Amino acid sequence: MSEVEIDGRLLQRWLKSDAADPGLLAGCALDDGEADEPLPILEVDLARQTLVCGGPKGRVRFPFGRLLDGLLVAPKPDHPAVAAVRAAVSPQERVHQKMRDELGPEYPRPFASVADLEAVHAAEMARRDGKLPERALRGPWVRALKRNELHRQGAQLAQSWRELANSCGAPWSDIALHLAWFQRQGGHPNRAIETARDFWRSKAPASQTEIAMLATVEAAAWIDRFERKGGAPPDLVEARRAAAKAYAISPTDPEIQTVYQRLKAAEAGPG
């Protein structure tokens, strides 16, 4: 039977709990991420919150705080320490771990908060189920994606919303804005520009605020394109056109002001 590795965070939590029974760790080892082989656990000092292991040069003491980056290695799946340590996880934490597992490697980073994990998980599950979420849900989900800088994933989700909305004739003004924003932040200004152009051509209804925000993203994307290409004057003409559309609606908006500052700097050229 093969060894079992358990997250060091769970080991630390168990050792700090009233359920801790150091004797259950007999025969286990600690992978501290530095030694070539896991170090056998010799002793647990609960009073001093220290784990003592056997190293190549003698006994090595690990404060419980250092266990976060390590792994508990049990010799077999049915070793008593496995069930004991895993039982220290609350039911709610198991739910959240299941969410992380379901999201998979497409969402590699830890989330800023549990609420963000729940929001992004709900968005991704809806995408996999081919469901168009209500607009009231899309906003909070997008904010969670933005807080965690999941730009590529956000673009993928927004693209699926766009396709679903277009297929059933649903309003998509907020989706166009989200999609263009994520595309630009993900390093694809051309895609952001095309999304904005598609929306303008569709003549779909949008609020004045949405028009201003989408035009601002489009203008910024044109400037990005100009800077990447090393200077193509038509890009700046398009950027000024889009910026003027946004400015006419919301002249005091800080993001529009930033776009104009970038535009002036680009038109002035180096130096």
Side-chain angles (χ1 to χ4, degrees), residues 237-256:
V237 173
E238 293 293 342
R240 184 164 287 280
R241 173 194 56 76
K245 179 186 290 189
Y247 185 86
I249 296 171
S250 186
T252 59
D253 184 271
E255 293 191 21
I256 298 175

Side-chain angles (χ1 to χ4, degrees), residues 189-190 193 220-232 235:
N190 288 339
I193 291 166
W222 279 111
I223 299 172
D224 294 344
R225 174 185 163 107
F226 173 81
E227 292 173 345
R228 283 191 176 189
K229 291 176 63 178
D235 293 340

Side-chain angles (χ1 to χ4, degrees), residues 176-177 180-181 184-185 189 192-193 196-197 199-200 207-225 235 238-263:
L177 174 59
W181 190 92
R184 178 177 173 256
Q185 292 296 323
I193 291 166
R197 284 181 160 181
F199 184 76
W200 306 136
S207 69
Q208 289 295 292
T209 298
E210 289 171 333
I211 292 172
M213 293 174 69
L214 181 56
T216 300
V217 173
E218 181 189 0
W222 279 111
I223 299 172
D224 294 344
R225 174 185 163 107
D235 293 340
E238 293 293 342
R240 184 164 287 280
R241 173 194 56 76
K245 179 186 290 189
Y247 185 86
I249 296 171
S250 186
T252 59
D253 184 271
E255 293 191 21
I256 298 175
Q257 296 295 329
T258 298
V259 163
Y260 268 107
Q261 290 171 3
R262 289 186 64 205
L263 184 55

